[in-house]
Amino acid sequence: MPADLLATPDLLRSVFRRHAAGVAVITARGEAGPVGFTATSLTSVSAEPPLLSFGVGTGASSWPAIAAADHVGVHILGEHQQELAATFSRSGADRFGPPTDWREGPEGVPVLEGVLAWLVGRVVARVPAGDHRLVIAEVVDGDPSGTGRPLLYHQGRFQRLGD
């Protein structure tokens, strides 16, 4: 097999940079306070029961809290929230300090304000997947009533949906 076709982390990253993905922020209540991170790996798994999944790196600062959490929050970001997405993707950032607007939601999960939609899910599985874990959660609450257009991630940047 030619060297440029060998499966490598760089090949995977290069291909998925071409895949436009919606942007979400995952939150949980940790022992030292709220935690969260930006995710583009959000997937609807099942309608009955209502299940979703997302990936999280085991080296991520949020992983210890996600690993122990009974419930997680999932927030679908709007195109007006590029800075929020950047904050939750930056290592060492004060993600829940000003200007982040949030409140304690169902099951004590941090819920971000101003998002297009949010869900709270009860974690039912954490599946090992290389240097990540796939977290599967059953939806227990949520609100789809936000307005606006979704924020996308494409070619290594947050972008707006084109017409």
Side-chain angles (χ1 to χ4, degrees):
M1 180 178 285
D4 62 339
L5 296 180
L6 292 177
T8 64
D10 286 340
L11 173 63
L12 184 69
R13 285 187 205 97
S14 293
V15 168
F16 272 89
R17 280 189 192 104
R18 296 178 180 270
H19 174 70
V23 180
V25 167
I26 309 299
T27 61
R29 182 178 53 201
E31 284 185 21
V35 300
F37 64 96
T38 301
T40 57
S41 63
L42 182 63
T43 305
S44 170
V45 174
S46 167
E48 191 57 45
L51 298 174
L52 61 85
S53 73
F54 60 87
V56 57
T58 56
S61 61
S62 297
W63 170 241
I66 300 292
D70 292 329
H71 292 84
V72 293
V74 176
H75 307 82
I76 308 301
L77 300 190
E79 63 186 10
H80 63 287
Q81 295 176 304
Q82 288 185 25
E83 198 50 47
L84 183 67
T87 297
F88 275 84
S89 67
R90 239 185 333 267
S91 181
D94 181 4
R95 296 173 179 162
F96 290 90
T100 301
D101 191 13
W102 66 280
R103 63 181 170 80
E104 186 174 306
E107 305 297 336
V109 172
V111 172
L112 302 175
E113 300 290 350
V115 296
L116 297 185
W118 61 266
L119 297 167
V120 170
R122 180 181 59 84
V123 176
V124 296
R126 294 172 185 88
V127 181
D131 61 355
H132 278 61
R133 295 296 180 268
L134 295 179
V135 177
I136 301 173
E138 183 173 7
V139 175
V140 297
D141 205 344
D143 182 355
S145 66
T147 60
R149 295 164 56 110
L151 181 62
L152 298 179
Y153 190 74
H154 182 250
Q155 294 288 58
R157 297 181 351 185
F158 297 115
Q159 300 196 28
R160 296 172 185 261
L161 185 64
D163 290 325

